[in-house]
Amino acid sequence: MDIADWRKKIDELDRRLVELLGERAQAAMEIGRLKRNTSLPIYEPERERIVFAHVQEVNRGPLPGQDLVRIFERIMDVMRNIQKEEIVAKPEGMKGEAELDSKVND
């Protein structure tokens, strides 16, 4: 394969990564809703340790485990932010009330 072929392969892999990250974000949003309803904390260091251990365990290279952990640290940071947004979001039935309140206050 030449460089153009490798770039096409990378483009397809990136497309798949975006799709998978979207699925992961959806799961994080659902977990955020559950955490909101049960008052669980967003940051769970033990869960993160488990994820980091798991990705290193299933890693078959060529990425070194430490590099993979650094990538997942960033992914999990973004997912935590998604959960924070989900937790501070008003429950679905209250959305209209919040809009009315903001119009009164403007």
mmCIF file of all heavy atoms in Angstrom, residues 9-45:
data_model
loop_
_atom_site.group_PDB
_atom_site.id
_atom_site.type_symbol
_atom_site.label_atom_id
_atom_site.label_comp_id
_atom_site.label_asym_id
_atom_site.label_seq_id
_atom_site.Cartn_x
_atom_site.Cartn_y
_atom_site.Cartn_z
ATOM 1 N N LYS A 9 -7.189 4.273 4.875
ATOM 2 C CA LYS A 9 -7.416 3.335 5.980
ATOM 3 C C LYS A 9 -7.570 4.099 7.294
ATOM 4 O O LYS A 9 -8.473 3.809 8.095
ATOM 5 C CB LYS A 9 -6.269 2.329 6.071
ATOM 6 C CG LYS A 9 -6.463 1.298 7.182
ATOM 7 C CD LYS A 9 -5.405 0.229 7.121
ATOM 8 C CE LYS A 9 -5.572 -0.786 8.223
ATOM 9 N NZ LYS A 9 -6.688 -1.699 8.041
ATOM 10 N N ILE A 10 -6.702 5.076 7.518
ATOM 11 C CA ILE A 10 -6.789 5.889 8.739
ATOM 12 C C ILE A 10 -8.105 6.657 8.776
ATOM 13 O O ILE A 10 -8.753 6.745 9.827
ATOM 14 C CB ILE A 10 -5.569 6.827 8.858
ATOM 15 C CG1 ILE A 10 -4.348 5.999 9.280
ATOM 16 C CG2 ILE A 10 -5.833 7.969 9.845
ATOM 17 C CD1 ILE A 10 -3.042 6.764 9.302
ATOM 18 N N ASP A 11 -8.530 7.208 7.639
ATOM 19 C CA ASP A 11 -9.810 7.925 7.594
ATOM 20 C C ASP A 11 -10.965 7.006 7.995
ATOM 21 O O ASP A 11 -11.863 7.411 8.739
ATOM 22 C CB ASP A 11 -10.062 8.509 6.199
ATOM 23 C CG ASP A 11 -9.134 9.671 5.875
ATOM 24 O OD1 ASP A 11 -8.494 10.222 6.796
ATOM 25 O OD2 ASP A 11 -9.056 10.022 4.671
ATOM 26 N N GLU A 12 -10.956 5.783 7.520
ATOM 27 C CA GLU A 12 -12.007 4.826 7.877
ATOM 28 C C GLU A 12 -11.919 4.454 9.357
ATOM 29 O O GLU A 12 -12.939 4.368 10.043
ATOM 30 C CB GLU A 12 -11.916 3.570 7.003
ATOM 31 C CG GLU A 12 -12.877 2.465 7.387
ATOM 32 C CD GLU A 12 -14.349 2.876 7.390
ATOM 33 O OE1 GLU A 12 -14.721 3.865 6.719
ATOM 34 O OE2 GLU A 12 -15.137 2.209 8.082
ATOM 35 N N LEU A 13 -10.721 4.251 9.857
ATOM 36 C CA LEU A 13 -10.555 3.958 11.283
ATOM 37 C C LEU A 13 -11.035 5.131 12.134
ATOM 38 O O LEU A 13 -11.695 4.931 13.166
ATOM 39 C CB LEU A 13 -9.098 3.619 11.593
ATOM 40 C CG LEU A 13 -8.597 2.295 11.006
ATOM 41 C CD1 LEU A 13 -7.076 2.203 11.121
ATOM 42 C CD2 LEU A 13 -9.264 1.111 11.674
ATOM 43 N N ASP A 14 -10.726 6.352 11.712
ATOM 44 C CA ASP A 14 -11.196 7.536 12.439
ATOM 45 C C ASP A 14 -12.718 7.601 12.446
ATOM 46 O O ASP A 14 -13.336 7.933 13.464
ATOM 47 C CB ASP A 14 -10.621 8.815 11.822
ATOM 48 C CG ASP A 14 -9.146 8.995 12.110
ATOM 49 O OD1 ASP A 14 -8.601 8.278 12.976
ATOM 50 O OD2 ASP A 14 -8.533 9.855 11.451
ATOM 51 N N ARG A 15 -13.341 7.272 11.316
ATOM 52 C CA ARG A 15 -14.801 7.270 11.248
ATOM 53 C C ARG A 15 -15.370 6.283 12.265
ATOM 54 O O ARG A 15 -16.312 6.597 12.996
ATOM 55 C CB ARG A 15 -15.270 6.908 9.835
ATOM 56 C CG ARG A 15 -16.793 7.008 9.653
ATOM 57 C CD ARG A 15 -17.291 6.260 8.433
ATOM 58 N NE ARG A 15 -17.050 4.832 8.490
ATOM 59 C CZ ARG A 15 -17.738 3.961 9.249
ATOM 60 N NH1 ARG A 15 -18.700 4.388 10.042
ATOM 61 N NH2 ARG A 15 -17.460 2.664 9.228
ATOM 62 N N ARG A 16 -14.769 5.112 12.339
ATOM 63 C CA ARG A 16 -15.224 4.097 13.287
ATOM 64 C C ARG A 16 -14.991 4.536 14.734
ATOM 65 O O ARG A 16 -15.832 4.301 15.609
ATOM 66 C CB ARG A 16 -14.538 2.757 13.006
ATOM 67 C CG ARG A 16 -15.058 2.140 11.708
ATOM 68 C CD ARG A 16 -14.352 0.917 11.204
ATOM 69 N NE ARG A 16 -13.829 -0.018 12.180
ATOM 70 C CZ ARG A 16 -12.837 -0.870 11.922
ATOM 71 N NH1 ARG A 16 -12.275 -0.925 10.733
ATOM 72 N NH2 ARG A 16 -12.411 -1.691 12.861
ATOM 73 N N LEU A 17 -13.852 5.182 14.982
ATOM 74 C CA LEU A 17 -13.576 5.695 16.326
ATOM 75 C C LEU A 17 -14.614 6.738 16.740
ATOM 76 O O LEU A 17 -15.092 6.732 17.881
ATOM 77 C CB LEU A 17 -12.169 6.306 16.398
ATOM 78 C CG LEU A 17 -11.011 5.330 16.488
ATOM 79 C CD1 LEU A 17 -9.686 6.063 16.296
ATOM 80 C CD2 LEU A 17 -11.028 4.592 17.820
ATOM 81 N N VAL A 18 -14.954 7.631 15.813
ATOM 82 C CA VAL A 18 -15.964 8.658 16.114
ATOM 83 C C VAL A 18 -17.294 7.997 16.460
ATOM 84 O O VAL A 18 -17.967 8.390 17.415
ATOM 85 C CB VAL A 18 -16.108 9.645 14.931
ATOM 86 C CG1 VAL A 18 -17.338 10.531 15.088
ATOM 87 C CG2 VAL A 18 -14.853 10.488 14.797
ATOM 88 N N GLU A 19 -17.664 6.982 15.705
ATOM 89 C CA GLU A 19 -18.910 6.264 15.974
ATOM 90 C C GLU A 19 -18.868 5.615 17.361
ATOM 91 O O GLU A 19 -19.820 5.738 18.140
ATOM 92 C CB GLU A 19 -19.117 5.199 14.895
ATOM 93 C CG GLU A 19 -20.426 4.468 14.994
ATOM 94 C CD GLU A 19 -20.603 3.474 13.856
ATOM 95 O OE1 GLU A 19 -20.294 3.814 12.700
ATOM 96 O OE2 GLU A 19 -21.042 2.343 14.146
ATOM 97 N N LEU A 20 -17.784 4.955 17.673
ATOM 98 C CA LEU A 20 -17.650 4.301 18.979
ATOM 99 C C LEU A 20 -17.609 5.313 20.127
ATOM 100 O O LEU A 20 -18.206 5.081 21.183
ATOM 101 C CB LEU A 20 -16.404 3.412 19.004
ATOM 102 C CG LEU A 20 -16.489 2.157 18.140
ATOM 103 C CD1 LEU A 20 -15.119 1.476 18.065
ATOM 104 C CD2 LEU A 20 -17.537 1.197 18.673
ATOM 105 N N LEU A 21 -16.924 6.425 19.923
ATOM 106 C CA LEU A 21 -16.887 7.454 20.960
ATOM 107 C C LEU A 21 -18.273 8.057 21.176
ATOM 108 O O LEU A 21 -18.647 8.384 22.306
ATOM 109 C CB LEU A 21 -15.865 8.542 20.608
ATOM 110 C CG LEU A 21 -14.409 8.107 20.742
ATOM 111 C CD1 LEU A 21 -13.484 9.155 20.123
ATOM 112 C CD2 LEU A 21 -14.043 7.856 22.200
ATOM 113 N N GLY A 22 -19.034 8.175 20.111
ATOM 114 C CA GLY A 22 -20.413 8.641 20.244
ATOM 115 C C GLY A 22 -21.247 7.674 21.070
ATOM 116 O O GLY A 22 -22.043 8.081 21.925
ATOM 117 N N GLU A 23 -21.067 6.386 20.826
ATOM 118 C CA GLU A 23 -21.773 5.374 21.622
ATOM 119 C C GLU A 23 -21.344 5.433 23.076
ATOM 120 O O GLU A 23 -22.157 5.309 23.992
ATOM 121 C CB GLU A 23 -21.516 3.975 21.063
ATOM 122 C CG GLU A 23 -22.208 3.701 19.740
ATOM 123 C CD GLU A 23 -21.918 2.310 19.218
ATOM 124 O OE1 GLU A 23 -21.803 1.361 20.031
ATOM 125 O OE2 GLU A 23 -21.815 2.162 17.984
ATOM 126 N N ARG A 24 -20.043 5.639 23.299
ATOM 127 C CA ARG A 24 -19.536 5.725 24.668
ATOM 128 C C ARG A 24 -20.098 6.965 25.362
ATOM 129 O O ARG A 24 -20.465 6.930 26.532
ATOM 130 C CB ARG A 24 -17.998 5.764 24.658
ATOM 131 C CG ARG A 24 -17.396 5.486 26.032
ATOM 132 C CD ARG A 24 -15.879 5.529 25.951
ATOM 133 N NE ARG A 24 -15.211 4.857 27.032
ATOM 134 C CZ ARG A 24 -15.197 5.252 28.298
ATOM 135 N NH1 ARG A 24 -15.864 6.328 28.653
ATOM 136 N NH2 ARG A 24 -14.529 4.561 29.213
ATOM 137 N N ALA A 25 -20.189 8.067 24.635
ATOM 138 C CA ALA A 25 -20.752 9.300 25.194
ATOM 139 C C ALA A 25 -22.223 9.102 25.552
ATOM 140 O O ALA A 25 -22.683 9.586 26.591
ATOM 141 C CB ALA A 25 -20.580 10.453 24.210
ATOM 142 N N GLN A 26 -22.966 8.399 24.706
ATOM 143 C CA GLN A 26 -24.374 8.117 25.008
ATOM 144 C C GLN A 26 -24.481 7.305 26.294
ATOM 145 O O GLN A 26 -25.322 7.584 27.140
ATOM 146 C CB GLN A 26 -25.032 7.373 23.841
ATOM 147 C CG GLN A 26 -26.510 7.140 24.031
ATOM 148 C CD GLN A 26 -27.310 8.423 24.098
ATOM 149 O OE1 GLN A 26 -27.128 9.314 23.289
ATOM 150 N NE2 GLN A 26 -28.179 8.535 25.082
ATOM 151 N N ALA A 27 -23.618 6.308 26.448
ATOM 152 C CA ALA A 27 -23.618 5.506 27.676
ATOM 153 C C ALA A 27 -23.264 6.376 28.887
ATOM 154 O O ALA A 27 -23.873 6.239 29.957
ATOM 155 C CB ALA A 27 -22.640 4.335 27.540
ATOM 156 N N ALA A 28 -22.304 7.285 28.718
ATOM 157 C CA ALA A 28 -21.924 8.184 29.814
ATOM 158 C C ALA A 28 -23.092 9.093 30.194
ATOM 159 O O ALA A 28 -23.305 9.376 31.379
ATOM 160 C CB ALA A 28 -20.703 9.015 29.420
ATOM 161 N N MET A 29 -23.849 9.549 29.200
ATOM 162 C CA MET A 29 -25.021 10.376 29.495
ATOM 163 C C MET A 29 -26.045 9.593 30.310
ATOM 164 O O MET A 29 -26.613 10.125 31.273
ATOM 165 C CB MET A 29 -25.649 10.880 28.193
ATOM 166 C CG MET A 29 -24.829 11.930 27.487
ATOM 167 S SD MET A 29 -25.469 12.337 25.838
ATOM 168 C CE MET A 29 -27.093 12.942 26.233
ATOM 169 N N GLU A 30 -26.272 8.356 29.929
ATOM 170 C CA GLU A 30 -27.229 7.522 30.668
ATOM 171 C C GLU A 30 -26.751 7.288 32.093
ATOM 172 O O GLU A 30 -27.541 7.342 33.037
ATOM 173 C CB GLU A 30 -27.459 6.189 29.947
ATOM 174 C CG GLU A 30 -28.126 6.326 28.596
ATOM 175 C CD GLU A 30 -29.498 6.976 28.656
ATOM 176 O OE1 GLU A 30 -30.227 6.786 29.661
ATOM 177 O OE2 GLU A 30 -29.844 7.699 27.699
ATOM 178 N N ILE A 31 -25.458 7.048 32.257
ATOM 179 C CA ILE A 31 -24.906 6.881 33.605
ATOM 180 C C ILE A 31 -25.051 8.182 34.386
ATOM 181 O O ILE A 31 -25.378 8.171 35.577
ATOM 182 C CB ILE A 31 -23.438 6.410 33.540
ATOM 183 C CG1 ILE A 31 -23.387 4.965 33.050
ATOM 184 C CG2 ILE A 31 -22.752 6.536 34.911
ATOM 185 C CD1 ILE A 31 -21.995 4.465 32.732
ATOM 186 N N GLY A 32 -24.844 9.313 33.726
ATOM 187 C CA GLY A 32 -25.031 10.610 34.372
ATOM 188 C C GLY A 32 -26.458 10.780 34.879
ATOM 189 O O GLY A 32 -26.675 11.283 35.980
ATOM 190 N N ARG A 33 -27.425 10.358 34.088
ATOM 191 C CA ARG A 33 -28.831 10.432 34.527
ATOM 192 C C ARG A 33 -29.055 9.556 35.759
ATOM 193 O O ARG A 33 -29.725 9.970 36.713
ATOM 194 C CB ARG A 33 -29.767 9.997 33.397
ATOM 195 C CG ARG A 33 -29.908 11.017 32.311
ATOM 196 C CD ARG A 33 -30.950 10.601 31.272
ATOM 197 N NE ARG A 33 -30.862 11.524 30.158
ATOM 198 C CZ ARG A 33 -30.454 11.204 28.939
ATOM 199 N NH1 ARG A 33 -30.102 9.968 28.656
ATOM 200 N NH2 ARG A 33 -30.401 12.111 27.985
ATOM 201 N N LEU A 34 -28.495 8.350 35.715
ATOM 202 C CA LEU A 34 -28.637 7.453 36.870
ATOM 203 C C LEU A 34 -27.954 8.043 38.097
ATOM 204 O O LEU A 34 -28.481 7.967 39.208
ATOM 205 C CB LEU A 34 -28.070 6.072 36.544
ATOM 206 C CG LEU A 34 -28.848 5.269 35.503
ATOM 207 C CD1 LEU A 34 -28.063 4.033 35.083
ATOM 208 C CD2 LEU A 34 -30.215 4.875 36.052
ATOM 209 N N LYS A 35 -26.787 8.631 37.911
ATOM 210 C CA LYS A 35 -26.082 9.245 39.040
ATOM 211 C C LYS A 35 -26.882 10.419 39.595
ATOM 212 O O LYS A 35 -26.940 10.611 40.810
ATOM 213 C CB LYS A 35 -24.683 9.697 38.618
ATOM 214 C CG LYS A 35 -23.711 8.538 38.436
ATOM 215 C CD LYS A 35 -22.349 9.034 38.015
ATOM 216 C CE LYS A 35 -21.340 7.898 37.921
ATOM 217 N NZ LYS A 35 -20.012 8.383 37.536
ATOM 218 N N ARG A 36 -27.500 11.201 38.706
ATOM 219 C CA ARG A 36 -28.320 12.328 39.159
ATOM 220 C C ARG A 36 -29.467 11.820 40.014
ATOM 221 O O ARG A 36 -29.765 12.375 41.071
ATOM 222 C CB ARG A 36 -28.855 13.106 37.956
ATOM 223 C CG ARG A 36 -29.774 14.270 38.354
ATOM 224 C CD ARG A 36 -30.381 14.965 37.159
ATOM 225 N NE ARG A 36 -31.272 14.049 36.470
ATOM 226 C CZ ARG A 36 -31.459 14.043 35.152
ATOM 227 N NH1 ARG A 36 -30.825 14.892 34.383
ATOM 228 N NH2 ARG A 36 -32.281 13.179 34.601
ATOM 229 N N ASN A 37 -30.114 10.745 39.564
ATOM 230 C CA ASN A 37 -31.288 10.226 40.271
ATOM 231 C C ASN A 37 -30.938 9.495 41.557
ATOM 232 O O ASN A 37 -31.806 9.291 42.397
ATOM 233 C CB ASN A 37 -32.087 9.312 39.345
ATOM 234 C CG ASN A 37 -32.665 10.075 38.163
ATOM 235 O OD1 ASN A 37 -32.890 11.285 38.240
ATOM 236 N ND2 ASN A 37 -32.892 9.386 37.069
ATOM 237 N N THR A 38 -29.692 9.074 41.700
ATOM 238 C CA THR A 38 -29.297 8.328 42.895
ATOM 239 C C THR A 38 -28.250 9.075 43.729
ATOM 240 O O THR A 38 -27.738 8.531 44.694
ATOM 241 C CB THR A 38 -28.737 6.945 42.509
ATOM 242 O OG1 THR A 38 -27.636 7.111 41.611
ATOM 243 C CG2 THR A 38 -29.810 6.085 41.854
ATOM 244 N N SER A 39 -27.927 10.286 43.332
ATOM 245 C CA SER A 39 -26.951 11.132 44.045
ATOM 246 C C SER A 39 -25.575 10.487 44.158
ATOM 247 O O SER A 39 -24.865 10.690 45.141
ATOM 248 C CB SER A 39 -27.471 11.500 45.433
ATOM 249 O OG SER A 39 -28.683 12.210 45.318
ATOM 250 N N LEU A 40 -25.194 9.714 43.159
ATOM 251 C CA LEU A 40 -23.844 9.136 43.139
ATOM 252 C C LEU A 40 -22.855 10.178 42.629
ATOM 253 O O LEU A 40 -23.218 11.045 41.837
ATOM 254 C CB LEU A 40 -23.801 7.905 42.231
ATOM 255 C CG LEU A 40 -24.505 6.665 42.755
ATOM 256 C CD1 LEU A 40 -24.568 5.593 41.658
ATOM 257 C CD2 LEU A 40 -23.785 6.119 43.973
ATOM 258 N N PRO A 41 -21.596 10.098 43.058
ATOM 259 C CA PRO A 41 -20.600 11.071 42.593
ATOM 260 C C PRO A 41 -20.217 10.829 41.134
ATOM 261 O O PRO A 41 -20.269 9.691 40.649
ATOM 262 C CB PRO A 41 -19.394 10.813 43.509
ATOM 263 C CG PRO A 41 -19.541 9.380 43.908
ATOM 264 C CD PRO A 41 -21.024 9.121 43.984
ATOM 265 N N ILE A 42 -19.830 11.898 40.468
ATOM 266 C CA ILE A 42 -19.379 11.779 39.079
ATOM 267 C C ILE A 42 -18.018 11.103 39.044
ATOM 268 O O ILE A 42 -17.803 10.170 38.281
ATOM 269 C CB ILE A 42 -19.302 13.159 38.407
ATOM 270 C CG1 ILE A 42 -20.698 13.741 38.258
ATOM 271 C CG2 ILE A 42 -18.622 13.066 37.048
ATOM 272 C CD1 ILE A 42 -20.719 15.163 37.806
ATOM 273 N N TYR A 43 -17.112 11.583 39.862
ATOM 274 C CA TYR A 43 -15.745 11.057 39.847
ATOM 275 C C TYR A 43 -15.661 9.828 40.730
ATOM 276 O O TYR A 43 -15.936 9.874 41.923
ATOM 277 C CB TYR A 43 -14.767 12.126 40.331
ATOM 278 C CG TYR A 43 -13.336 11.645 40.359
ATOM 279 C CD1 TYR A 43 -12.706 11.207 39.202
ATOM 280 C CD2 TYR A 43 -12.614 11.637 41.544
ATOM 281 C CE1 TYR A 43 -11.388 10.763 39.225
ATOM 282 C CE2 TYR A 43 -11.299 11.205 41.582
ATOM 283 C CZ TYR A 43 -10.693 10.768 40.422
ATOM 284 O OH TYR A 43 -9.399 10.332 40.435
ATOM 285 N N GLU A 44 -15.303 8.718 40.113
ATOM 286 C CA GLU A 44 -15.138 7.452 40.822
ATOM 287 C C GLU A 44 -13.751 6.900 40.492
ATOM 288 O O GLU A 44 -13.576 6.189 39.508
ATOM 289 C CB GLU A 44 -16.221 6.459 40.401
ATOM 290 C CG GLU A 44 -17.628 6.914 40.763
ATOM 291 C CD GLU A 44 -18.670 5.904 40.365
ATOM 292 O OE1 GLU A 44 -18.733 4.837 41.007
ATOM 293 O OE2 GLU A 44 -19.394 6.178 39.398
ATOM 294 N N PRO A 45 -12.744 7.249 41.308
ATOM 295 C CA PRO A 45 -11.364 6.853 41.007
ATOM 296 C C PRO A 45 -11.176 5.345 40.872
ATOM 297 O O PRO A 45 -10.412 4.894 40.026
ATOM 298 C CB PRO A 45 -10.541 7.416 42.160
ATOM 299 C CG PRO A 45 -11.488 7.981 43.131
ATOM 300 C CD PRO A 45 -12.846 8.026 42.529
#
